[in-house]
């Protein structure tokens, strides 16, 4: 087990204060009421290579990846930044389950990992029908324990493998017993970000290749039906709040209500906004992983699960 250490050289001690304009962002007026009055995005930490995959544990601590540097970091509810795990299988998307395990899309060997609190790693998925997955990218854990994950193909320079062994870029469902893995969406160009509703009835999947996001009905056995276009925008990562609003990333953060109407846009002055989640003691801080930085924004709404 590697002992966590504080990355003081990379930590920017900031607070989210109304009326102060920190560097590194621009924001439209918060007409939707989602953002806390007077709040603005704050760069909490920087100096990374590319941040991804934020997920919140039961206490409100936020874990995220510095994917090219092969590490998972932790931003605590007390505002302390530490390294949780390095190396970490080039993890990308993360999500906590109800038992406190951290699930990771481990990109180094195209696997799905379950990481215990003591950093013990169990490889749960390493292939599909005997063939390597493309590269698990983002995941969401259903309230009943099943896991949905996207599997796009982005060729990595560090891979020791050939071309894709799968015939499509798909979304998969891993049953709660972790024994059955099935494809549940295989007609997408390049699925990436995904998120589900807290009642477990709806899954949103962003087809970043087609620049669209779709909404599906989740059936009792985990399959997806009733595919509907949700909005004309793809996304790298996604989250959802307690009002059912869906947050998409790419250029800043764009928020849609449950009917697919855009109600907010938060500009982040970075080349790319990769992912987003709610965290903090009351899950009312929106954490944004954007290029080489981590941002926070105080909200009037709350998150509903790990993401």
């Amino acid at each position: 087990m590697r002992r966590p250490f504080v990355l003081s050289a990379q930590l920017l001690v900031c607070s989210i204060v109304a009326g102060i304009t920190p560097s590194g962002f621009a924001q439209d007026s918060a007409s939707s009421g989602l953002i806390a009055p007077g709040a603005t995005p704050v760069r909490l930490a920087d100096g990374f290579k590319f941040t991804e995959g934020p997920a919140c544990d039961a206490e409100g601590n936020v874990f995220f990846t510095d994917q090219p540097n092969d590490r998972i970091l932790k931003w605590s509810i007390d505002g302390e930044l530490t390294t949780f795990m390095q190396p970490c299988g080039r993890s990308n998307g993360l999500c906590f389950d109800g038992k406190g395990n951290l699930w990771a899309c481990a990109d180094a060997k195209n696997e799905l990992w379950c990481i215990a609190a003591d950093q013990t790693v169990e490889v749960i998925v390493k292939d599909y029908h005997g063939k390597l997955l493309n590269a698990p990218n983002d995941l969401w854990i259903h309230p009943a324990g099943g896991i949905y994950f996207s599997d796009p193909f982005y060729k990595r320079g560090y891979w020791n493998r050939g071309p894709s062994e799968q015939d499509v870029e798909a979304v998969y469902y891993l049953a709660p017993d972790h024994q059955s893995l099935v494809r549940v969406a295989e007609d997408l160009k390049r699925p990436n970000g995904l998120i589900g509703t807290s009642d477990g009835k709806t899954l949103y999947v962003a087809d970043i290749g087609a620049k669209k996001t779709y909404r599906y009905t989740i059936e009792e056995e985990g399959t997806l039906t009733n595919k509907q276009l949700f909005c004309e925008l793809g996304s790298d990562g996604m989250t959802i709040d307690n009002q059912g609003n869906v947050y998409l990333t790419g250029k800043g953060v764009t928020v849609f209500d449950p009917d697919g109407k855009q109600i907010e846009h938060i500009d982040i002055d970075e080349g790319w906004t990769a992912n987003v989640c709610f965290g903090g003691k009351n899950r009312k801080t929106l954490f944004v992983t954007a290029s080489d930085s981590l941002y926070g924004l105080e909200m009037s709404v709350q998150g509903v699960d790990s993401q």
Side-chain angles (χ1 to χ4, degrees), residues 8 38 58-59 98 118 121 126 151 169 190 195 212:
S8 57
E59 295 179 354
D118 64 359
V121 173
K126 62 180 180 179
D151 187 46
E169 300 183 32
R190 178 154 290 170
I195 195 71
K212 300 178 188 297

Side-chain angles (χ1 to χ4, degrees), residues 119-136:
Q119 299 184 27
T120 300
V121 173
E122 183 179 3
V123 179
I124 304 298
V125 177
K126 62 180 180 179
D127 58 39
Y128 178 68
H129 291 175
K131 297 180 179 180
L132 283 178
L133 291 164
N134 292 316

Side-chain angles (χ1 to χ4, degrees), residues 251-262:
K251 295 299 292 183
V253 180
T254 307
V255 189
F256 295 83
D257 71 12
D259 294 323
K261 176 185 176 183
Q262 182 178 330

Side-chain angles (χ1 to χ4, degrees), residues 277-291:
C277 82
F278 282 87
K281 292 181 180 179
N282 57 8
R283 284 202 166 99
K284 293 184 75 172
T285 302
L286 187 68
F287 286 85
V288 183
T289 53
S291 298

Side-chain angles (χ1 to χ4, degrees), residues 157-175:
Y158 50 78
W159 280 348
N160 182 24
R161 58 170 291 182
S164 173
E165 297 181 14
Q166 299 296 331
D167 56 349
V168 294
E169 300 183 32
V171 176
Y172 292 83
Y173 174 72
L174 179 68

